[in-house]
Amino acid sequence: DVGSQKERVVTEEEWLQKWEMGNIGFHKEQGHPLLQKYMDVLLNGRSGLRIFFPLCGKAVEMKWLADMGHSVVGVEVSEQAVKEFFSEHSLPYCEEPVPEISGAKMFQSTSGNISLYCCSIYDLSSLIVGKFDGVWDRGALVAVNPCDRQRYASLMINLVEKNSSYLLVTVSYDPNKHKGPPFYVPESEIKSLFG
Ligand code: SAH
């Protein structure tokens, strides 16, 4: 029974406030052990991949993959998060407007292998960011408002190449005991969203 979470909405403004207040318990300074564990599944022996980080925050795993020679693209509404990512890794970057999306900015490492779009993920399309060989979805599907899940999944399906790998981390708990995010997304719903 996920009835209690169905109607919940967290606004972009609330996410920005979480960043301002330092209320970011979701951030893992040491990176996620499950990406380490399943790195081979994501890469599948391939090199020079394009990897997408939806709702990226300042996930340190972006640095891991860039250091392994892959090209990383993330999207995050909080400009503070994006700037903290580059400064905490001492990465020089430049910032430029995104002509297709009003108000959006793209922050790119000077080396060119990490590009973070500062806008809502719903503003992106494969025409703007291209398609990806791999996705690391941690704190993303589970952070999306329940009413937006279908739209999110359709967009993600549109953003991946045919032979891509998609690693998804979800959390399992009694949704009556915590209002989320992270939201509880039942396995059956994941199957119907992604097929
Ligand atoms: N994936 C990251 C962050 C998870 S928290 C990690 O593993 O640490 C979810 C993040 O999504 C927050 O940083 C929030 O600011 C961002 N966010 C929320 N809604 C968004 C949207 N519609 N588009 C882009 N980013 C969004």
Side-chain angles (χ1 to χ4, degrees):
D1 169 28
V2 295
S4 49
Q5 292 191 339
K6 248 201 197 119
E7 317 294 327
R8 177 146 159 78
V9 170
V10 180
T11 63
E12 284 183 19
E13 193 49 47
E14 288 175 273
W15 281 109
L16 299 184
Q17 273 166 18
K18 284 180 201 278
W19 280 98
E20 274 165 39
M21 306 291 289
N23 193 0
I24 53 163
F26 51 80
H27 177 67
K28 277 184 147 4
E29 220 148 282
Q30 303 306 318
H32 207 293
L34 286 171
L35 179 56
Q36 259 158 349
K37 183 168 176 191
Y38 292 107
M39 187 64 87
D40 292 347
V41 175
L42 182 65
L43 303 179
N44 195 18
R46 303 165 298 171
S47 52
L49 301 186
R50 299 191 75 227
I51 311 277
F52 186 49
F53 280 67
L55 282 65
C56 61
K58 53 174 181 177
V60 303
E61 299 88 347
M62 297 193 284
K63 178 75 166 44
W64 294 358
L65 283 150
D67 287 346
M68 293 168 75
H70 303 288
S71 145
V72 169
V73 175
V75 60
E76 167 56 54
V77 278
S78 164
E79 181 166 333
Q80 180 186 340
V82 169
K83 288 183 166 165
E84 285 180 14
F85 172 79
F86 287 113
S87 68
E88 288 173 14
H89 296 282
S90 311
L91 290 169
Y93 63 91
C94 54
E95 88 181 61
E96 52 186 62
V98 183
E100 299 92 338
I101 311 170
S102 101
K105 286 189 225 171
M106 199 264 276
F107 294 77
Q108 189 173 54
S109 60
T110 307
S111 51
N113 54 352
I114 304 177
S115 305
L116 306 185
Y117 286 80
C118 187
C119 60
S120 170
I121 189 167
Y122 305 114
D123 294 331
L124 296 184
S125 72
S126 57
L127 293 175
I128 302 170
V129 292
K131 296 211 184 220
F132 298 96
D133 308 300
V135 176
W136 172 244
D137 182 325
R138 183 269 172 180
L141 174 66
V142 298
V144 161
N145 290 318
C147 59
D148 294 324
R149 262 176 215 158
Q150 185 63 63
R151 184 183 181 194
Y152 173 84
S154 305
L155 173 61
M156 294 305 291
I157 290 166
N158 192 251
L159 289 182
V160 295
E161 297 278 9
K162 275 214 175 62
N163 289 308
S164 55
S165 358
Y166 192 119
L167 294 187
L168 170 67
V169 183
T170 62
V171 284
S172 184
Y173 66 90
D174 180 350
N176 297 299
K177 297 201 170 135
H178 175 64
K179 62 183 164 69
F183 298 109
Y184 168 58
V185 187
E187 181 110 27
S188 56
E189 189 171 345
I190 293 165
K191 288 207 171 109
S192 67
L193 287 170
F194 292 95

